[in-house]
Amino acid sequence: MKSVYPQLLDGKALAQRIQDQLKAEVERLKSTYGRPPGLAVLMVGDNPASATYVRNKERACAKVGIASFGQHFPADVSQAEVEQAIHRLNHDPNVDGILLQLPLPEHLNSVYLLHQINPDKDVDGLHPLNLGRLLRGETGLRSCTPEGVMRLLREYQIDVKGKNAVVVGRSILVGKPIALMLLEADATVTIAHSRTQNLAELTRQADILIAAVGRPNLITADQVKPNAIVIDVGINRVTDAQGKSRLVGDVDFDAVRDMTQFITPVPGGVGPMTVTMLLQNTVFSYTRTNS
Ligand code: NAP
């Protein structure tokens, strides 16, 4: 079914506009307080996807003038060494944000290490204190991907109040926090996961459908309500028949696009917003320390 006004939610363009504003803000902060905001991204091992994400984050920092204090550890680094690095950064007055790039190698306890990050520098919003603040609807550092999705919805003046929102995926990084944010914005929220029965029956009721799973083409056209708003968080690398590799989301974009009211592309939708919210959280953390 054709929608009257299918529209792409252009995360790339919005991210660029926010980064331009952040650049001006960072410049102003630097001249007022004598130093730029600082972000430390910690990476362990050589996971190629993680390396790309870390590189993108550091590039984005450089573009807006945020100083990078990243460290790259070998895959066999000890837990104590990573913990010491986190404690040093917790006390470093030039560092406002600390991000531990996940996943970590098996021998490291990521939950334990995430708990070591000073909650006021936890720009990924994964410390229990920040997750608790989110649960209570209090101000604080919030997980970047869900925050980016909410910002995108606001930018396109999509009022979620009273709408049926279905979130597919329940990770602590994406699914759960986004469900809480939608609830806070007065949506009626359903969370689906790998044990959900009759997923299609649920997704077909969704005015707002968020896919955060990590499976290409999980959401097909017959699972989408006509004129729905579809947010595709998934990032999957697939190889086509010609052997060419490309990124796709969790939604069968070509089949679904024309029946939606709004949809995010992959790439160029949620991804650029995630990086931008990380920069915004770092500036937020800096401002809170300095004001
Ligand atoms: P995750 O931790 O692996 O969680 C995946 C979730 O999907 C789990 O809750 C899982 O259910 C659920 N699931 C798996 N198979 C399912 C199925 N057949 N039907 C319904 N639910 C199913 O992944 P994540 O960290 O949340 O990331 C999800 C996706 O988003 C990935 O593709 C990731 O690369 C992408 N991502 C993108 C960004 C961005 O900036 N765009 C940022 C972060 C992540 P169970 O809980 O039952 O196992």
Side-chain angles (χ1 to χ4, degrees), residues 145 168-171 174 193-194 212-215 218 233-235 270-271 274:
T145 302
V168 189
R170 58 173 166 181
S171 73
V174 189
H193 46 79
S194 68
V213 174
R215 292 192 185 211
L218 178 78
V233 180
I235 301 180
V270 177
T274 298

Side-chain angles (χ1 to χ4, degrees), residues 143-150 173-174 178 233 270 273-274 277:
S143 190
C144 302
T145 302
E147 189 74 343
V149 169
M150 296 307 289
L173 187 66
V174 189
I178 202 156
V233 180
V270 177
M273 291 303 296
T274 298
M277 292 301 105

Side-chain angles (χ1 to χ4, degrees), residues 64-117:
V64 303
I66 291 176
S68 283
F69 294 86
Q71 288 180 41
H72 187 179
F73 299 96
D76 61 355
V77 67
S78 70
Q79 173 131 323
E81 253 177 283
V82 182
E83 188 178 351
Q84 275 163 22
I86 292 174
H87 288 165
R88 265 197 308 277
L89 293 164
N90 279 343
H91 292 104
D92 187 335
N94 291 313
V95 174
D96 305 283
I98 304 168
L99 182 150
L100 186 57
Q101 185 67 43
L102 302 175
L104 294 177
E106 291 267 303
H107 70 283
L108 299 176
N109 182 337
S110 52
V111 174
Y112 175 82
L113 289 170
L114 287 171
H115 286 202
Q116 302 311 305
I117 296 175

